[in-house]
Amino acid sequence: MKLENRPNPIIIQDFITESGALYSSLPLSFTLSGRPLHTAPIVLVNHALTGNAQVTGKNGWWNDLVGEEKTIDTNKYTVLAFNVPGNGNDSFIIENYQDFTTRDIARIFIKGLEALNIEQVFTIIGGSVGGGIAWEILALEPNITEHLIPIATDWKSTDWMIANCYLQEQILNNSSKPIEDARIHAMLCYRSPESFKEKFQRTINQDLLIFNIESWLAHHGKKLQQRFQLASYKLMNQLLKTIDITRDSEDFETLMSKTKAAIHIVAINSDLFFTPKENLETYNELKKFKENVTYSEIDSVHGHDAFLIEYKQLDHLLADIFKAETIAK
């Protein structure tokens, strides 16, 4: 039976954030696709900064990875995705974005799983900030999943990441065109110098008489401005800045020693945002006390965004987890 729908939101009542802010009613909207709930292994997919719970289907942002006979096969799995409350995908907006941390969102997602009577999922997978939320979920509930697949992310925001998020915040709070300008800056982090060189070759847009890289960046800024809300951008940027499973908690080894879940770290060799060096350090730290850990890299010039671009490579890297037999490379 094929199922793909957007049920009514779960209402999280009297939620208190880590910072002490009380939200008497938080709507948690979600999508379900694939097998009916509780009839098949569940894959929880966490979206990235400008994403949403629409993982697959007509407007699905991960259609190349999730769907019938895809890597995450909706004929075999139930695919669940939550919208980060305040991500702008429904009418609920969070104005006081500094009330929230990534861990708060992880706590909300866990409450969502409880509301759906889900005690354990097969896999939690997410890219970028979605992967950061996945790390936070595992740290809070070590028995909640069999597999953790953090892609182009890490268990903490580095100083470099915090610095970029700080600049994003300054633009969002001070620019006359906040979403457009913030997006232009962000694209420099999401891609790489080699990606731009390969794509543009210093060519000129003959209609506008500016460099093609400039018109491309302006296009992406305007495009996001048309579909994304300022409050949502501020919130998601705040979450990207506050990933840290050890903040006001136990150290990394203590937290990760509690879980039996297999952890499959997927880095991108050209990622300027969550660098492969940081990911490799995380892997090497985990290997000191945990056996079921793997590390792999997507080979791409496209930088951080490669997890949205290099589907064939992701398919190969994830085949052992999601498929009965490894597909031939």
Side-chain angles (χ1 to χ4, degrees):
M1 178 183 173
K2 188 74 171 66
L3 175 72
E4 188 171 303
N5 60 14
R6 286 172 169 264
N8 291 328
I10 297 163
I11 305 300
I12 310 294
Q13 295 182 323
D14 298 326
F15 183 80
I16 300 175
T17 69
E18 283 196 309
S19 63
L22 171 63
Y23 284 77
S24 57
S25 179
L26 272 175
L28 179 61
S29 57
F30 62 99
T31 63
L32 284 167
S33 53
R35 306 291 298 172
L37 201 55
H38 303 301
T39 68
I42 298 166
V43 179
L44 175 62
V45 179
N46 294 343
H47 69 78
L49 191 143
T50 60
N52 53 46
Q54 199 65 48
V55 178
T56 187
K58 184 179 178 182
N59 298 310
W61 55 269
W62 234 6
N63 269 326
D64 289 295
L65 201 71
V66 184
E68 291 187 1
E69 299 183 1
K70 303 287 177 63
T71 311
I72 302 175
D73 190 346
T74 47
N75 292 320
K76 298 177 181 177
Y77 296 100
T78 303
V79 179
L80 168 65
F82 293 115
N83 279 305
V84 171
N87 76 340
N89 208 57
D90 45 39
S91 58
F92 182 71
I93 291 295
I94 291 170
E95 293 294 347
N96 298 324
Y97 64 94
Q98 291 179 328
D99 285 349
F100 286 84
T101 65
T102 325
R103 190 178 302 162
D104 287 319
I105 304 303
R107 291 169 55 216
I108 290 167
F109 282 13
I110 290 166
K111 288 182 180 293
L113 293 172
E114 291 170 353
L116 296 171
N117 298 310
I118 299 170
E119 292 183 2
Q120 189 183 56
V121 300
F122 175 67
T123 304
I124 303 176
I125 183 171
S128 194
V129 68
I133 295 168
W135 274 111
E136 295 276 9
I137 291 172
L138 186 65
L140 291 168
E141 293 289 343
N143 299 317
I144 207 163
T145 187
E146 294 178 44
H147 298 272
L148 181 79
I149 310 176
I151 304 173
T153 191
D154 199 13
W155 60 267
K156 83 284 188 189
S157 303
T158 61
D159 292 297
W160 172 250
M161 174 63 67
I162 293 165
N164 277 283
C165 290
Y166 174 71
L167 177 53
Q168 287 277 292
E169 189 176 21
Q170 292 296 305
I171 296 169
L172 291 168
N173 285 327
N174 298 309
S175 172
S176 59
K177 297 188 294 181
I179 293 179
E180 290 184 44
D181 290 345
R183 184 63 164 180
I184 287 169
H185 163 249
M187 293 308 294
L188 306 187
C189 302
Y190 296 157
R191 299 299 172 94
S192 71
E194 291 75 18
S195 177
F196 285 164
K197 181 179 180 180
E198 182 181 283
K199 187 176 180 69
F200 298 109
Q201 297 286 323
R202 298 186 297 111
T203 52
I204 304 291
N205 183 312
Q206 297 300 331
D207 294 327
L208 301 174
L209 296 180
I210 60 174
F211 286 104
N212 274 314
I213 178 61
E214 294 175 304
S215 62
W216 182 83
L217 288 170
H219 166 75
H220 275 276
K222 288 172 183 168
K223 190 176 171 185
L224 189 68
Q225 192 275 328
Q226 291 165 0
R227 71 175 181 87
F228 210 52
Q229 299 177 62
L230 181 57
S232 301
Y233 200 149
K234 289 180 180 180
L235 172 70
M236 297 305 295
N237 183 64
Q238 166 77 0
L239 302 183
L240 197 53
K241 186 173 78 171
T242 55
I243 302 167
D244 184 358
I245 65 172
T246 64
R247 186 183 56 256
D248 300 325
S249 183
E250 296 165 302
D251 64 68
F252 181 72
E253 181 174 346
T254 303
L255 287 169
M256 288 298 105
S257 293
K258 295 176 183 178
T259 184
K260 295 179 181 176
I263 299 175
H264 313 270
I265 297 169
V266 181
I268 300 162
N269 66 348
S270 56
D271 197 338
L272 303 176
F273 226 15
F274 288 99
T275 64
K277 184 174 184 290
E278 288 287 334
N279 276 270
L280 203 50
E281 286 179 9
T282 295
Y283 168 73
N284 288 328
E285 188 64 29
L286 280 168
K287 285 298 288 181
K288 291 177 184 175
F289 59 88
K290 190 169 170 58
E291 290 184 1
N292 54 345
V293 185
T294 64
Y295 174 84
S296 52
E297 278 186 10
I298 296 170
D299 180 15
S300 175
V301 300
H302 296 304
H304 183 68
D305 268 0
F307 80 93
L308 299 169
I309 299 169
E310 306 284 1
Y311 297 112
K312 289 182 180 178
Q313 287 192 57
L314 258 183
D315 182 68
H316 292 321
L317 295 177
L318 303 181
D320 279 338
I321 304 165
F322 291 107
K323 298 184 180 180
E325 67 266 354
T326 307
I327 60 171
K329 291 194 177 183

